[in-house]
Amino acid sequence: CAIGNVGTFRCTEEKWNRIFSISRRTAELCMKDTYVDCPGYEQVYWVGDAMITALVNLTCFGQYRYDQYCIDLTGESLSDRFYERFRREYELCKNGRYLTMCAYSEFARGGIPMWSFLWAVQCKNHYLYGGDREELARNYSYLQKFEENCRRFLNSRNLLEIEGTFNLMDWADNDLPSYGEVTSNSAWYAELCAIAAYFARELGEDDGFYLRQREKVKQAVNEWCWSENIGGYVDTVRDGFAYGRYLDYCRGTGQVPVPEARFSNASRVSQQTNTIAYLCGCVPASRERRVKEIIRLALKGSRRVGTPKNVGYERGSEEIV
């Protein structure tokens, strides 16, 4: 990719000038045939990572066609042609129940939902920076298909349930199993509907359906995903309804279920989930103060490094991740 120079930064503090220069150069080295996560190790087009590098590209380099090419790759992974080639044998992808690819060139089965939703944000950023109407229309068609597929994961409580996926948000001790009503997925879906509605308005089309979907899911997030005891949104809902769905999941996968008390004990409230709920516009004014208090915990206290795969059922649920 031939790099341009449309955006620069300079200030009187030389330290910040060096930081900018290093960061800009890093992004440049990560723009190969596609965006890649790092220039010298994996060199994989991880779709979620790409959204960040894309912002540097759009701000500093102005390579809009390159950005659109990467958007197209991910959008095409929702097409029937792609399904016929890569997903047909995958049981969980039947009946349109699949998200975008989360990584190239390897097909990561089940995907990473947050990466797909970040790609939708990239689509919006691309239009805000580039302003191309033809690309807007093409990307809107991708988002329409993406939203349609997401809608197939909505359960009777209007929350997303996506089985067999890697619900990564951060490398922390979150409660993010490969089943169940993961709060961040529903919050991101609400944001996807907001982006689709924005695209519809820009194209002179009716945005009503997407706005109604957004409100419906926001209401569900606040009804089922909120912990009044802690004053925040849980990573994954673990009430009686969720336990019944978990038993169905275990029967379908041949796993031995844990007792309901242990199932409930895995519940976590985290900075990550509450930050996403806030940024996706799911937090009503009456809950903003408590959610912001959780988000601001990042400014103080000790740091805890972990992974969702390490979370068990033994730790109490009162500690905020």
Side-chain angles (χ1 to χ4, degrees):
C1 177
I3 298 299
N5 189 31
V6 300
T8 59
F9 171 83
R10 190 78 188 169
C11 71
T12 56
E13 179 57 64
E14 190 56 32
K15 177 178 71 172
W16 295 110
N17 295 331
R18 292 198 304 271
I19 289 172
F20 173 78
S21 178
I22 291 169
S23 302
R24 183 186 187 281
R25 179 61 175 157
T26 300
E28 180 180 353
L29 292 172
C30 287
M31 291 172 63
K32 299 182 181 294
D33 290 346
T34 63
Y35 297 113
V36 295
D37 61 331
C38 49
Y41 177 52
E42 279 189 284
Q43 296 188 27
V44 172
Y45 173 27
W46 285 98
V47 171
D49 303 53
M51 191 276 282
I52 306 300
T53 310
L55 277 174
V56 182
N57 169 28
L58 298 174
T59 303
C60 296
F61 308 140
Q63 297 300 308
Y64 304 113
R65 289 185 178 178
Y66 175 87
D67 190 58
Q68 183 61 45
Y69 168 72
C70 294
I71 288 173
D72 286 337
L73 275 178
T74 307
E76 283 295 315
S77 71
L78 293 164
S79 68
D80 292 338
R81 178 174 59 85
F82 192 91
Y83 175 84
E84 291 291 330
R85 182 172 181 184
F86 293 103
R87 303 185 195 264
R88 175 175 282 277
E89 79 286 358
Y90 188 37
E91 187 69 27
L92 292 177
C93 285
K94 291 184 177 179
N95 302 318
R97 292 168 62 84
Y98 55 88
L99 306 178
T100 71
M101 281 276 280
C102 67
Y104 288 86
S105 58
E106 296 298 320
F107 172 42
R109 295 194 180 280
I112 303 176
M114 184 165 163
W115 269 218
S116 296
F117 290 117
L118 288 174
W119 166 78
V121 175
Q122 183 183 346
C123 289
K124 181 178 181 181
N125 290 339
H126 181 85
Y127 175 64
L128 292 175
Y129 279 79
D132 188 290
R133 304 286 294 182
E134 290 185 6
E135 291 173 345
L136 172 67
R138 182 156 84 249
N139 294 342
Y140 180 48
S141 69
Y142 294 147
L143 294 185
Q144 287 177 300
K145 174 63 173 173
F146 183 30
E147 186 281 327
E148 179 184 334
N149 284 18
C150 287
R151 209 183 319 145
R152 293 187 170 101
F153 290 106
L154 287 174
N155 64 18
S156 61
R157 298 207 286 195
N158 289 320
L159 296 173
L160 260 64
E161 278 190 87
I162 309 173
E163 289 186 7
T165 192
F166 181 22
N167 285 305
L168 175 66
M169 291 191 298
D170 191 6
W171 297 110
D173 290 341
N174 301 103
D175 171 32
L176 298 170
S178 58
Y179 60 83
E181 298 164 322
V182 175
T183 301
S184 59
N185 289 343
S186 294
W188 275 120
Y189 173 66
E191 180 65 11
L192 168 63
C193 289
I195 296 171
Y198 170 69
F199 276 31
R201 291 193 299 274
E202 286 293 299
L203 292 166
E205 299 185 14
D206 182 22
D207 63 1
F209 172 78
Y210 295 116
L211 293 179
R212 289 190 295 273
Q213 284 293 106
R214 174 174 171 78
E215 288 306 311
K216 182 168 65 176
V217 174
K218 283 173 57 178
Q219 289 177 17
V221 166
N222 280 285
E223 182 172 0
W224 306 111
C225 304
W226 177 259
S227 169
E228 187 61 34
N229 290 336
I230 300 178
Y233 296 95
V234 296
D235 288 342
T236 299
V237 183
R238 290 188 176 274
D239 58 13
F241 175 89
Y243 185 68
R245 298 289 293 162
Y246 163 73
L247 294 178
D248 292 340
Y249 172 77
C250 289
R251 281 190 287 267
T253 58
Q255 298 182 38
V256 178
V258 300
E260 186 170 1
R262 294 193 70 210
F263 173 86
S264 300
N265 197 50
S267 182
R268 302 286 182 269
V269 170
S270 71
Q271 291 174 301
Q272 292 85 354
T273 289
N274 283 269
T275 299
I276 289 171
Y278 180 77
L279 292 177
C280 292
C282 291
V283 182
S286 60
R287 290 175 174 172
E288 271 197 15
R289 180 185 59 80
R290 285 184 285 181
V291 168
K292 286 179 178 179
E293 286 175 356
I294 292 174
I295 294 172
R296 291 190 183 113
L297 289 174
L299 300 176
K300 59 186 178 181
S302 61
R303 303 297 188 268
R304 183 186 181 97
V305 179
T307 167
K309 293 187 180 297
N310 288 342
V311 173
Y313 297 98
E314 310 306 330
R315 198 177 86 197
S317 60
E318 297 301 311
E319 181 182 354
I320 294 174
V321 177

